[in-house]
Amino acid sequence: MIYLVIMRHYNYIFSCRISLGYRMSEELAQLLWTEKYRPRTLDDVVNQSDIVSRLKIFVKEKNMPHLLFTGPPGVGKTTVALALVHDLYGEDYRRYVLEMNASDERGIDVIRTKVKEFARSVVVGDVPFKVIILDEADNMTADAQQALRRLMEMYVSTTRFILMANYSSKIIEPIQSRCAVFRFVPLSREDVVGRLKMIADKEGVEFDPDALDAIYDITEGDMRRAINILQAAAALGRVTVSSVYKVVGLAHPKEVREMIQLAFAGSFNDARERLRKIMIEYGLSGMDVIKQIHREIFSPDIKMDEDLRVYIADYAGEINYRLIEGADDEIQLNAFLARLVLLGKKLGASKS
Amino acid sequence: MALQRASDRIPWIIKYRPRTLADYIDQDEAKNKLIEWIKSFPKVESRAVLLYGPPGVGKTTLVECIARELGLELIEMNASDFRRMQDIERIAITASDKGGLFGRGRVILLDEVDGINARADMGGLEAVLKLIESTRVPIIMTANDPWSPALRPLRNAAISIELKKLSEGNVIRLLKKICSSEHVECDEEALREIARRSEGDLRSAINDLESVSRGSGKVTLDSVRAIIGYRDRERNPFETLGRIFSARSARAARAAAGSTQLDNDMLMQWINENIPAQMQDPEDLWRAYEALSRASVYMGRIIKTGNWDLLSYAIDLMSAGVALAKKSQDRRWVSYRFPEKIRYMAKSKETREIRDQLAQLIASIDHISTATAKKDVIPYLSIIFRNNPVNASKLAIGMHMSDSMIEYLAGPRAKDVLSLVKEFEKRIRLRGSGKEEKAEGRAETKAESETQKRVQRRASREDTARKEAGLDRFIK
């Protein structure tokens, strides 16, 4: 049974009104399941138990060092960080927490203004510090990291940082050494399938059990993607293995593969058209495209000489590097396609 | 020779400058657009117009004619004036202060805005942008090269109107008219030659005509050839491309790239667009793209390091590198195309903005970056929106999506989802007591995107979710 909840908000004070008198057969305002079923407290977190038990000690002592959470996407770094601050400060935690995503705000300016501003302000409350959560910190520029390192030192008495990164190697060492590092491991099949089943049951979704296994096989322990796939597949009806694959196919533009094949067949212009479609209609960056190309190259669905896969991967890496150097997306990928056209032609010639 | 009169000493270019709109020939499209715009001011899409076109096609003259015709006072500022922030602000004050008290409307002409110098005119561009936002007087700006990166912000803030090069026929006709009122004997061939060399620049054509006829009172093909040198013109994109792709030496290719009115990024896009048509052979194709790719890397490094010394290497590769990529003998002329990328980007601007807003919204709700939202969430949302209007509408309401976001996600099913959203919202209003909140929430999403409000919305949204979770447990 669910009740309609309507709320009104003023600045940072929330007063919630629950109209209990109006019972509804269904909830009309929905969130994505990734958010709806995100564990709110450390107790709700079912996996990563070693990490969770250590963090609970920080909560009990109301004290903690700077933290660095590392691990692949979708294993619960953000969830655990949010649950931690929730447990530290209670429902009202947002007053004590600044949450930022470094891939959207990655420059030194942000560190010098927003982060510094927040770090230097003084807190009132029974926890003697505030927390800054910096997600995808490995996307911060090197100079921003240097600036951050100083802030971490200067304001350690009033502010703790929780940094999150896919790879700790992209975080400069002075920062790593200032943090307690927690390595999150990919979620096990049982964890993911169990969670998906729980959600499906709560949402009243019909499913074939092997469909959930298929989702795990595809996502390899990335809970966010797994839940998103489940929700999308559920929108199509009963969740089956085939509907799962259908959803995944729809979500990932097949144009990338077609583009590769067209270039190999020598149709540069058509391949370039696909590229434009991918970049403009799907909004993918050059970096996204080259990474997806890289995945496709090793897919068994693309027939090519095995040596060639390595050779193309090498060139894809080179293009990736040029993009990092700030080169134009489309020009770089066109160069890549031109290379494929050339390889395709040579190959065709040697075969005949 | 006739008597020397005072009027003989006035350069023809001023003497024959059109005074009225009736005298102003050609450019009908631009003329009508501009008049229309001034007449409907301030009920216009933007309070500024960017009038662009190559030199000598009559940009300033057109503005003067229109001002005179409509009885407007023209407040002008051109490249000879300092255009720092305070100068622009002064103009703004002159123009708007007591404007209309004298019963006469005004129009501000900022001539040659591409000449606003980043260093010498500190803050000038910003001041112009501010002026455009606040002005009560129409602002007309002129520029030669609308693609100049420095002009990008102005381009976005203003309505662009293009003045085209004059046709050779029109140039000849005007020259003839001048010849007859000056009683100069001209032969047809000579005028054609002047017109051809002017490349649609009427001002230079009239200057040439005057300098040839002065003294002799006669204009012949020989005298034209003898007296007039070719101007070192900035080439338009098509000519530049032609010269690059046909260059047989590295030197010639570089010279071609050096004499263009395009900025380097734009030139790269033009080359990028046209390589495949020029290079049929896969070897050539690849070599050309590899060179262009290297050029683009240098451009990236310039942006990253701020070191403009690298520019000449970038130009080497995009011009000579591309030109000399062609080894095969197959030579045929293919027409050049405007960079499709630029067109695509312009066409898809609105869609991309909606997608960005949507990604920001999702990022703030789901604690992820906008990049992750685009890559890992939007594709799945889109599947839901295109296949299951009921689930989609609930998500749209729960996430406070704007109508345009819903349209973006649902594509062909947008109508279904939108009407369901309306219906659900009505139901919510009937059942709950917090009418305004719901409606307000959605309107807000549409209107604003500042972080502050988003954070608040997100926070309240989370409260909902938490309360639900709490209630769930309670009930069980």
Side-chain angles (χ1 to χ4, degrees), chain B residues 79 81-85 87 115-126:
Chain B
D81 304 310
F82 249 115
R83 292 186 285 193
R84 295 160 306 197
M85 191 184 300
D87 304 311
I116 292 183
N117 186 301
R119 208 168 304 142
D121 300 322
M122 276 279 277
L125 276 177
E126 290 76 9

Side-chain angles (χ1 to χ4, degrees), chain B residues 190-201:
Chain B
L191 293 187
R192 178 153 298 140
E193 180 68 12
I194 292 177
R196 197 175 63 77
R197 292 189 184 198
S198 76
E199 299 182 26
D201 175 349

Side-chain angles (χ1 to χ4, degrees), chain A residues 115-132:
Chain A
V115 175
K116 189 169 179 181
E117 208 59 43
F118 186 83
R120 74 209 297 188
S121 64
V122 183
V123 274
V124 249
D126 56 345
V127 182
F129 55 84
K130 299 169 305 262
V131 170
I132 295 177

Side-chain angles (χ1 to χ4, degrees), chain B residues 240-256 278-279 284 287-288 319-333 336:
Chain B
T240 305
L241 283 189
R243 290 176 55 204
I244 290 179
F245 280 118
S246 63
R248 291 286 63 96
S249 72
R251 220 183 134 86
R254 289 190 68 217
Q278 297 296 324
M279 314 274 171
D284 293 354
R287 262 194 303 272
S319 58
V322 171
L324 303 177
K326 191 163 184 120
K327 305 288 182 211
S328 74
Q329 293 309 308
D330 162 42
R331 237 165 242 306
R332 48 183 167 151
W333 192 82
Y336 299 108

Side-chain angles (χ1 to χ4, degrees), chain A residues 10 39 42 50 96 101 108 148 155 167 225 253 260 300 306 330:
Chain A
Y10 306 102
L42 286 174
D50 291 349
Y96 307 95
N101 196 302
I108 191 166
L148 178 64
Y155 298 107
Y167 306 101
R225 271 190 75 212
I260 296 174
E306 293 301 313
E330 200 190 294

Side-chain angles (χ1 to χ4, degrees), chain B residues 89-130:
Chain B
E89 279 165 0
R90 204 175 43 237
I91 276 274
I93 290 164
T94 324
S96 58
D97 247 34
K98 301 171 200 148
L101 260 191
F102 306 103
R104 212 173 152 204
R106 288 167 161 157
V107 55
I108 299 177
L109 170 61
L110 297 175
D111 219 351
E112 302 155 37
V113 281
D114 38 1
I116 292 183
N117 186 301
R119 208 168 304 142
D121 300 322
M122 276 279 277
L125 276 177
E126 290 76 9
V128 174
L129 283 170
K130 245 173 69 190

Side-chain angles (χ1 to χ4, degrees), chain B residues 141-166:
Chain B
M141 303 177 283
T142 70
N144 290 138
D145 172 15
W147 307 115
S148 147
L151 286 187
R152 194 171 300 151
L154 291 185
R155 211 157 57 219
N156 291 338
I159 300 165
S160 297
I161 298 179
E162 183 186 11
L163 285 192
K164 297 193 174 65
K165 270 188 182 183
L166 276 82

